[in-house]
Amino acid sequence: MLNPPEASPAGRGVVAAVVIAVTLILQVSVANRLPLPGGVQPDLVLLAVVALALVAGSMTGMVTGFLAGLAADIIPPADHTIGRYALVYCLIGYLCGVASDEMDRQSVVPFFAVAAGALAGTVVYAGTGMILGDPRAEWATVSSMVPLQVLYDVIASPFVVWAVLRATRRYERGERSRSGDTLSVPAARYRAMSGRG
């Protein structure tokens, strides 16, 4: 994985929830209002889910993806079938989490993984729209919008990945500093090992 799981699961969940909440707010208030060519905007929530999955693994990616997708399905301007984003983000979070075992934190591979996750997420979302009969998901519209969507996601990905890595690293550094010396033995365990009760 990109980031070995040293922090507590509850703390990691809180960090993931804060990252997704901030990303949802930025998506609705900033990204959706950008007047970009083609009428599409970068999907910051998808990028955050991919980055969290690469940091924390497949289970966190899957759960975070589902919850972030459900929130994205409900938050205005929700103009599609509820559950589409939840399905897509859950699937992409899981796949990126599985792929995270092969990645090295010091390389640029995570940025390529985010680009691949953005491409897969955009294509799966468009595909589910076609299956569900969304009138905006016709082949001509999708084939012209998907390349722009992926391009915008790739351009935004270094910023989102950097922010997610920074947030998770800061939390883990705080956990390590609160625990003190990693070689120290807790007093109760020391008493048990020495035979003193």
Side-chain angles (χ1 to χ4, degrees):
M1 273 195 263
L2 289 176
N3 209 358
E6 297 178 25
S8 69
R12 212 174 306 125
V14 169
V15 170
V18 169
V19 166
I20 293 300
V22 168
T23 308
L24 279 166
I25 291 169
L26 289 174
Q27 181 71 46
V28 172
S29 62
V30 178
N32 286 351
R33 298 173 190 255
L34 293 174
L36 297 173
V40 293
Q41 291 78 28
D43 192 346
L44 302 179
V45 181
L46 175 62
L47 296 175
V49 167
V50 170
L52 285 168
L54 291 174
V55 168
S58 59
M59 186 58 136
T60 300
M62 187 172 58
V63 171
T64 303
F66 177 77
L67 295 175
L70 196 57
D73 282 327
I74 296 170
I75 289 179
D79 57 352
H80 56 272
T81 306
I82 291 181
R84 278 177 68 189
Y85 278 127
L87 172 68
V88 171
Y89 292 173
C90 178
L91 180 65
I92 298 303
Y94 174 75
L95 293 175
C96 289
V98 168
S100 71
D101 294 335
E102 307 299 322
M103 310 227 174
D104 181 3
R105 185 179 183 105
Q106 307 299 36
S107 67
V108 295
V109 174
F111 295 106
F112 291 118
V114 171
L119 172 63
T122 304
V123 169
V124 171
Y125 182 77
T128 58
M130 288 180 182
I131 291 171
L132 293 173
D134 188 347
R136 295 165 297 171
E138 295 174 353
W139 178 250
T141 307
V142 169
S143 63
S144 66
M145 293 180 91
V146 167
L148 279 175
Q149 178 76 47
V150 172
L151 175 67
Y152 295 152
D153 286 348
V154 168
I155 291 170
S157 67
F159 305 105
V160 176
V161 171
W162 176 82
V164 169
L165 292 178
R166 189 91 168 137
T168 56
R169 191 176 323 152
R170 177 172 296 176
Y171 173 74
E172 288 182 1
R173 190 176 330 147
E175 283 289 311
R176 279 187 237 131
S177 66
R178 278 196 294 275
S179 68
D181 184 8
T182 56
L183 298 177
S184 65
V185 178
R189 187 168 174 210
Y190 177 78
R191 282 194 296 271
M193 288 187 328
S194 66
R196 292 185 278 165

